[in-house]
């Protein structure tokens, strides 16, 4: 059960040496033409498939398609779901055989396998081996899974006899009159609605592995007991398990927390508090590049940039509804001159206040405003996770105020802009979901139909495949959510487009129509990257720290063979800096070590300088992925770097 919003799928094949080289620096691609930005449509057309089943390399050293495997998911394979659910029961039975005092709670299947929570003494990795061995015995006995339907009173009687207080609490929360129990043979049973395999023998014990132990509060409430959660993974066969374990190793290698420390990109300091990110010089430089690109493309696409305060009077959040519906995620109020103020959890009300600052005519629309706005949200310490789940983060927030008949064109413009931005960062596979009206909603049926139809028409016009999440919209309007797929095939929720009928009403914003009557505009919320912190974490893992040249904090490192060439190296670096190239000079070690250090720091280019290069006023260039690229003039080196940086999609 992940503590951050990511649906995990697996595609280690996409990190083969051939694929990885695409992320590096290849002078052979320099001759391709530079793609120019254009709004609202773009010059390239890309079909964006909905990511379905990932491809996994069974043999990581091979690029042969015959070694690639499509891993099933719980959604694509009911048999796998049944296996995983049954494994949770088998694990609970094994735990209670080995540790009779353990109390059981809940044990569902999850994305990669299953888990079960127990109230018991802390476990160790050695305990996991004992539990797995006992699970293997139970599986080998081929015990049947038997479903029994009992009355509520009978269920209460049986649970009480076993002295299982958590199960009694679960029983009380079950609203259906029919209570179902699943037995493993005649030795163990659990409250459960199913489904399960017919017998434990249907599980391949060689395709099951216990992975880890974690603490988890009962019902996710920090005021309740801390439980022991055991995570496991289960697959249909050994080949699938092998592919999954390879994926895990690759994901571990790419972990943004480790890479962030190794490359000195960011840190989270205990002295300052959990979930608060410190951007170090190199990480801050990457953020600066991202922000500059984001601002420039928004200005080209007709947005006005805003900067708004980090705090506001608490009454603002009362009007917006956040104090009623979002209070548990907001920090405590602070008293300023006997008036309560609040750290902002959202940027939306601020943008509305800017809109309300003057009267608007129908001729003013559409009005597009955008801000890289930092917000603060309370998260439990146990849910914090590197850059993926933090307490303070910066959103690439934008809001569009428009007329009803402009919704479709504005949504299409946002989709075009989203595609442009995501392609720039190397993401070209998306899963798109359209969420429609829920049971409880604000706004008239007519405007809901118009807005939903406009979203559908924009997606259809874009030619994107999408799935309908019927009733999954927010209470204030329908929305489009876009998940990007990274190099491992994992999907990350980043982009969202939401139509809002609620806040315009709450803040009573209006415009004057052609009949000089006051009308209410439509408000569209949209974010492309989402949280900059989280997106940076995704980028680190997507590229395994090997950023493309345009994003790399240090693009080139100049290395002297001896200190006798140091003066020339500094002059080369100064010339590169004049052209905006991010470069540094390193010396004081033997050349092989200087090269190794540059490769460990994932520097895309090295310019080696010896006595011959000084005489001819040249550099010998080495690429991190391309190896030796030959000797060239400094001007030629500069021109090639600039061309590659301006055309990042060619890398």
């Amino acid at each position: 059960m992940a503590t951050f919003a990511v649906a995990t799928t697996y595609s280690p094949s996409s990190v083969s040496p051939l694929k990885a080289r695409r992320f590096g620096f290849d002078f052979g691609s320099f001759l391709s033409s530079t793609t120019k930005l254009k709004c609202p449509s773009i010059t390239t057309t890309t079909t964006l498939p909905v990511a379905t089943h990932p491809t996994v390399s069974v043999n990581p050293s091979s690029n042969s398609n015959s070694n690639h495997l499509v891993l099933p998911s719980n959604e694509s394979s009911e048999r796998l779901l049944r296996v995983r659910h049954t494994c949770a029961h088998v694990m609970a039975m094994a735990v209670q055989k080995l540790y009779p005092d353990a109390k059981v709670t809940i044990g569902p299947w999850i994305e990669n396998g299953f888990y079960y929570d127990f109230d018991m003494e802390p476990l160790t990795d050695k305990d996991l081996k004992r539990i797995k061995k006992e699970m293997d015995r139970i599986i080998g006995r081929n015990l049947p899974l038997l479903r029994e339907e009992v009355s509520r009173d009978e269920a209460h009687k049986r649970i009480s006899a076993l002295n299982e207080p958590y199960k009694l609490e679960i029983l009380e929360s079950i609203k259906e009159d029919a209570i179902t129990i699943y037995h493993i043979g005649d030795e163990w049973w659990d409250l459960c609605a199913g489904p399960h395999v017919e017998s434990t023998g249907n599980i391949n014990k060689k395709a099951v592995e216990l992975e880890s132990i974690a603490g988890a509060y009962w019902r996710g409430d920090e005021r309740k007991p801390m439980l022991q959660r055991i995570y496991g993974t289960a697959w249909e066969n050994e080949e699938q398990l092998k592919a999954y374990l390879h994926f895990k190793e690759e994901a571990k290698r790419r972990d943004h927390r480790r890479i962030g420390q190794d490359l000195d990109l960011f840190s989270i300091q205990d002295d300052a508090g959990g979930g608060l990110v410190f951007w170090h010089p190199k990480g801050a430089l990457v953020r600066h590049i991202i922000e500059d690109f984001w601002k420039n493309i928004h200005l080209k696409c007709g947005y006005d940039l805003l900067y708004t305060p980090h705090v506001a009077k608490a009454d603002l959040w009362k009007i917006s509804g956040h104090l009623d519906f979002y209070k548990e995620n907001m920090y405590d109020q602070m008293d300023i001159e006997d008036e309560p103020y609040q750290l902002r959890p959202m940027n939306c009300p601020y943008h509305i206040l800017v809109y309300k600052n003057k009267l608007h005519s129908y001729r003013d629309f559409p009005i597009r405003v955008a801000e890289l706005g930092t917000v603060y949200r309370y998260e439990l310490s146990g849910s914090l996770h590197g850059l993926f789940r933090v307490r303070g983060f910066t959103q690439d927030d934008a809001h569009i105020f428009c007329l009803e008949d402009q919704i479709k064109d504005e949504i299409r413009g946002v989709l075009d802009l989203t595609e442009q931005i995501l392609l720039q960062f190397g993401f070209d596979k998306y899963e798109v979901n359209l969420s429609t009206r829920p049971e409880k909603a604000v706004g008239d049926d007519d405007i809901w139909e118009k807005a939903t139809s406009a979203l559908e028409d924009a997606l259809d016009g874009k030619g994107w495949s999408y799935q309908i999440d019927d009733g999954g919209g927010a209470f204030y309007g329908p929305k489009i959510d876009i998940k990007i797929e990274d190099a491992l095939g994992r999907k990350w929720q980043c982009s969202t487009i939401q139509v809002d009928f609620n806040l315009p009403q709450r803040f009573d914003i209006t415009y004057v129509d052609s009949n000089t009557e006051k009308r209410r505009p439509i408000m569209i919320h949209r974010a492309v990257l989402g949280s900059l912190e989280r997106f940076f974490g995704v980028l680190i893992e997507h590229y395994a720290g090997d950023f493309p040249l345009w994003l790399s904090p240090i693009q080139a490192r100049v290395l002297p063979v001896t200190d006798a060439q140091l003066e020339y190296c500094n002059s080369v670096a100064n010339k590169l800096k004049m052209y905006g190239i991010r470069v540094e000079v390193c010396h004081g070690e033997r050349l092989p070590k200087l090269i190794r250090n540059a490769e460990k720091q994932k520097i895309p280019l090295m310019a080696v300088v010896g006595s011959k290069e000084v005489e001819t006023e040249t550099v010998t260039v080495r690429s991190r992925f391309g190896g030796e690229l030959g000797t060239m003039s400094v001007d030629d080196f500069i021109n090639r770097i600039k061309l590659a940086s301006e055309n990042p999609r060619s890398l």
Side-chain angles (χ1 to χ4, degrees):
M1 178 183 253
T3 58
F4 48 96
V6 49
T8 307
T9 54
Y10 318 104
S11 183
S13 62
S14 56
V15 292
S16 67
L18 187 65
K19 180 84 169 184
R21 191 163 176 173
R22 168 176 168 263
F23 299 146
F25 184 73
D26 182 1
F27 275 124
S29 66
F30 283 9
L31 300 179
S32 57
S33 60
T34 302
T35 304
K36 297 188 182 297
L37 300 178
K38 181 182 176 183
C39 290
S41 60
I42 62 175
T43 55
T44 57
T45 56
T46 306
T47 302
L48 302 179
V50 173
T52 52
H53 302 300
T55 303
V56 180
S57 176
V58 178
N59 179 5
S61 64
S62 172
N63 290 322
S64 168
N65 288 331
S66 63
N67 287 304
H68 289 175
L69 174 69
V70 176
L71 281 180
S73 66
N74 293 330
E75 291 73 26
S76 67
S77 172
E78 185 181 348
R79 177 173 178 264
L80 179 60
L81 184 148
R82 289 173 179 268
V83 164
R84 288 173 171 171
H85 197 187
T86 306
C87 280
H89 283 220
V90 170
M91 181 174 72
M93 177 177 173
V95 167
Q96 291 200 305
K97 276 183 173 291
L98 296 171
Y99 309 94
D101 293 335
K103 304 299 180 186
V104 293
T105 61
I106 58 171
W109 70 84
I110 54 175
E111 186 75 23
N112 316 329
F114 57 94
Y115 74 80
Y116 214 111
D117 287 347
F118 304 92
D119 189 348
M120 62 186 301
E121 292 299 312
L123 295 166
T124 66
D125 290 340
K126 187 180 290 186
D127 294 320
L128 286 189
K129 293 178 181 178
R130 289 187 66 207
I131 296 167
K132 177 59 166 63
K133 189 175 290 187
E134 183 61 34
M135 287 178 67
D136 290 347
R137 291 194 191 98
I138 296 168
I139 292 170
R141 292 171 63 193
N142 195 25
L143 299 172
L145 273 289
L146 303 172
R147 180 181 183 275
E148 181 186 10
E149 193 171 303
V150 298
S151 68
R152 186 174 296 275
D153 289 342
E154 176 64 19
H156 191 281
K157 178 182 174 183
R158 293 190 193 182
I159 295 170
S160 298
L162 292 176
N163 189 26
E164 291 282 9
Y166 297 97
K167 287 297 178 184
L168 283 177
E169 190 174 328
I170 293 170
L171 177 64
E172 291 172 5
S173 68
I174 298 174
K175 302 304 179 185
E176 296 81 3
D177 288 334
I179 306 299
T180 55
I181 288 174
Y182 273 86
H183 299 260
I184 299 180
D186 57 1
E187 300 178 30
W188 192 88
W189 58 268
D190 196 4
L191 281 176
C192 187
H196 293 280
V197 295
E198 292 181 359
S199 71
T200 60
N202 293 141
I203 300 170
N204 183 342
K205 63 185 178 183
K206 293 184 178 180
V208 178
E209 185 166 296
L210 297 186
E211 297 185 282
S212 62
I213 308 161
Y217 291 110
W218 172 235
R219 300 292 197 189
D221 188 337
E222 60 186 340
R223 296 165 297 183
K224 293 184 177 179
M226 172 67 77
L227 307 174
Q228 294 290 296
R229 175 171 295 177
I230 303 176
Y231 284 104
T233 188
W235 299 89
E236 295 169 338
N237 53 55
E238 294 174 70
E239 190 180 36
Q240 290 175 5
L241 176 61
K242 182 180 178 182
Y244 166 72
L245 294 177
H246 169 59
F247 162 82
K248 277 187 63 180
E249 284 302 309
E250 183 58 30
K252 183 179 178 181
R253 184 182 76 85
R254 290 168 175 260
D255 191 311
H256 73 281
R257 295 166 296 180
R258 181 186 63 79
I259 293 175
Q261 183 175 354
D262 291 346
L263 301 185
D264 196 21
L265 299 173
F266 72 92
S267 64
I268 296 173
Q269 304 283 344
D270 289 339
D271 290 344
L276 302 172
V277 180
F278 287 74
W279 295 76
H280 294 199
K282 289 182 179 179
L285 188 50
V286 177
R287 174 171 173 160
H288 169 72
I289 296 164
I290 294 171
E291 288 184 350
D292 270 5
F293 166 72
W294 185 91
K295 290 175 184 177
N296 289 333
I297 196 171
H298 277 77
L299 289 171
K300 289 178 181 178
C301 291
Y303 286 80
D304 292 315
L305 300 183
L306 300 178
Y307 291 95
T308 57
H310 289 228
V311 297
K313 292 180 180 179
D315 281 349
L316 183 66
W317 310 107
K318 191 177 295 183
I319 297 170
S320 70
H322 287 96
L323 280 176
D324 293 327
F325 302 108
Y326 205 72
K327 189 173 184 179
E328 68 276 8
N329 295 101
M330 297 169 65
Y331 282 98
D332 290 342
Q333 295 173 7
M334 60 189 85
D335 188 69
I336 300 177
E337 296 181 345
D338 298 325
E339 192 160 17
Y341 277 70
Q342 184 81 52
L343 276 172
R344 66 175 172 186
M346 305 278 187
N347 300 306
C348 328
Y350 289 24
H351 294 188
I352 291 175
L353 292 186
V354 172
Y355 175 92
K356 289 189 71 172
N357 197 50
K358 66 177 185 178
L359 294 173
H360 291 280
S361 162
Y362 70 96
R363 296 186 182 90
D364 298 332
F365 295 106
I367 297 170
R368 309 183 190 107
V369 293
E371 176 182 15
L372 293 169
T374 302
V375 298
Y376 303 90
R377 299 178 187 174
Y378 173 67
E379 301 282 357
L380 293 173
S381 58
S383 69
L384 300 175
H385 183 92
L387 297 176
F388 292 152
R389 182 66 71 88
V390 295
R391 287 172 170 164
F393 57 92
T394 300
Q395 284 187 312
D396 70 320
D397 233 342
H399 294 91
I400 300 170
F401 302 92
C402 64
L403 308 177
E404 287 183 22
D405 60 3
Q406 294 174 333
I407 297 176
K408 176 184 173 181
D409 289 342
E410 288 306 306
I411 296 298
R412 175 58 190 270
V414 172
L415 294 177
D416 288 343
L417 178 61
T418 298
E419 180 182 36
Q420 233 178 322
I421 291 175
L422 294 180
L423 283 175
Q424 179 84 1
F425 291 100
F427 298 107
D428 59 2
K429 292 183 180 179
Y430 316 131
E431 179 184 287
V432 183
N433 293 286
L434 171 61
S435 301
T436 61
R437 180 172 184 163
E439 286 186 20
K440 294 183 179 180
V442 298
D444 297 332
D445 292 345
D446 181 55
I447 190 60
W448 267 91
E449 290 176 10
K450 284 183 179 178
T452 305
S453 178
L455 296 181
E456 289 176 329
D457 290 346
L459 286 170
D460 291 338
K462 189 70 179 161
W464 287 4
S465 300
Y466 60 93
Q467 300 168 356
I468 298 288
D469 180 9
D470 195 24
F475 74 93
Y476 51 77
K479 63 176 182 172
I480 294 171
D481 290 321
I482 300 172
K483 295 178 182 178
I484 58 175
E485 184 176 322
D486 71 5
L488 289 186
R490 297 173 298 184
K491 297 172 188 175
W492 305 84
Q493 173 67 58
C494 286
S495 309
T496 186
I497 308 165
Q498 303 174 356
V499 181
D500 188 350
F501 316 128
N502 180 50
L503 288 184
Q505 182 177 335
R506 279 180 172 268
F507 282 90
D508 191 27
I509 62 173
T510 60
Y511 68 92
V512 178
D513 69 9
S514 57
N515 297 319
T516 67
E517 294 180 1
K518 284 190 174 182
R519 300 286 301 277
R520 207 173 299 288
I522 300 298
M523 184 177 181
I524 299 172
H525 305 253
R526 49 115 298 206
V528 177
L529 305 179
S531 155
L532 288 189
E533 285 76 5
R534 186 165 173 270
F535 186 73
F536 186 45
V538 173
L539 279 177
I540 292 172
E541 298 202 359
H542 179 61
Y543 289 112
D546 279 312
F547 298 114
L549 189 67
W550 76 282
L551 267 181
S552 184
I554 302 298
Q555 295 173 304
R557 184 174 282 183
V558 184
L559 308 176
V561 175
T562 69
D563 282 356
Q565 294 88 41
L566 190 55
E567 183 179 351
Y568 176 73
C569 287
N570 286 328
S571 68
V572 169
N574 289 336
K575 189 169 185 180
L576 266 61
K577 289 176 182 177
M578 287 174 56
Y579 287 90
I581 295 168
R582 301 182 293 279
V583 61
E584 61 185 14
V585 177
C586 283
H587 64 100
E589 303 279 358
R590 291 171 58 85
L591 183 61
K593 187 169 184 180
L594 290 175
I595 291 173
R596 278 198 307 275
N597 289 343
E599 289 179 340
K600 283 178 65 177
Q601 287 297 304
K602 303 183 186 293
I603 307 297
L605 292 169
M606 290 156 271
V608 178
V609 173
S611 56
K612 183 179 178 181
E613 283 78 13
V614 174
E615 291 174 12
T616 57
E617 296 186 347
T618 59
V619 290
T620 296
V621 179
R622 179 184 179 89
S623 164
R624 178 164 152 71
F625 288 100
E628 299 291 343
L629 299 174
T631 302
M632 62 191 72
S633 70
V634 176
D635 287 341
D636 191 15
F637 186 41
I638 291 170
N639 289 335
R640 295 190 186 196
I641 292 176
K642 286 181 67 63
L643 180 59
S645 298
E646 291 165 1
N647 189 17
R649 290 179 211 162
S650 70
L651 297 180

